[in-house]
Amino acid sequence: MNDEQSTKDAQLEELSFTVMGYISKTPHETFEAVADPAQLSKYFTTGGARGRLESGAEVTWDFADFPGRFPVEVLESVQDEKIVIAWEGTEHATEKSTTTTFEFSPVDDGARTLVTVTEKSWKMTVGGAEGAFGNCMGWTGMLAALKAWVEYGIDLREGFYK
């Protein structure tokens, strides 16, 4: 059995997922569209984001289509490269908080950016799968909305979930 097959046959301890997309902007422009609350509020946190995603900060996010402002802890922020956030998990999480990592990788000599979003900390249960799959849908939608906003100035989220 080769290493790839052995990895695929390994037992999971928790559910996690990764989604990714290419943005036709520089890593700096793309990072800023996520880290800056004014920009994030234009295409993702439609009820408003408060606070910049900087290491050690606790910010809040609100969604007009899922009302209720909630705290987001910024575990790590490396300008133009990475942001790691956490927020309170549910009874279906393996940890007190779920953790989401955004990575911004330069492509085409920095003219474009590969954004990778990885979330972890979901139990190997039906509830954990529902939480992971639901958030996977949400982060995929966020990446599509990010692309539409920074490349074309279009808000895809408006009316998408309600």
Side-chain angles (χ1 to χ4, degrees), residues 97-151:
S97 299
T98 58
T99 303
T100 304
T101 301
F102 300 84
E103 295 178 287
F104 305 86
S105 303
V107 179
D108 298 335
D109 295 321
R112 297 189 317 142
T113 305
L114 173 62
V115 180
T116 305
V117 181
T118 302
E119 185 173 282
K120 64 179 190 168
S121 304
W122 292 101
K123 289 180 182 176
M124 297 284 299
T125 61
V126 170
E130 288 172 350
F133 295 153
N135 283 11
C136 184
M137 177 182 74
W139 290 123
T140 301
M142 183 271 195
L143 285 177
L146 169 65
K147 182 173 183 68
W149 178 255
V150 299
E151 291 183 19

Side-chain angles (χ1 to χ4, degrees), residues 58-119:
E58 185 172 294
V59 304
T60 59
W61 287 356
D62 194 358
F63 297 90
D65 42 11
F66 295 103
R69 183 169 298 281
F70 64 93
V72 176
E73 181 183 0
V74 185
L75 303 177
E76 181 181 5
S77 183
V78 178
Q79 182 69 44
D80 304 341
E81 294 179 17
K82 181 184 344 180
I83 299 170
V84 182
I85 61 172
W87 60 79
E88 188 175 338
T90 70
E91 68 273 15
H92 303 294
T94 60
E95 303 288 333
K96 181 182 174 193
S97 299
T98 58
T99 303
T100 304
T101 301
F102 300 84
E103 295 178 287
F104 305 86
S105 303
V107 179
D108 298 335
D109 295 321
R112 297 189 317 142
T113 305
L114 173 62
V115 180
T116 305
V117 181
T118 302
E119 185 173 282

Side-chain angles (χ1 to χ4, degrees), residues 34 36-53 59-72 155 157-158:
V34 176
D36 176 14
Q39 290 191 62
L40 193 65
S41 297
K42 297 287 186 186
Y43 68 90
F44 183 56
T45 56
T46 52
R50 293 186 185 158
R52 182 173 172 82
L53 297 180
V59 304
T60 59
W61 287 356
D62 194 358
F63 297 90
D65 42 11
F66 295 103
R69 183 169 298 281
F70 64 93
V72 176
D155 177 5
R157 189 174 174 105
E158 182 65 34

Side-chain angles (χ1 to χ4, degrees), residues 1-11:
M1 182 180 325
N2 65 33
D3 286 341
E4 182 179 332
Q5 185 62 42
S6 142
T7 300
K8 290 185 179 189
D9 289 338
Q11 293 296 310

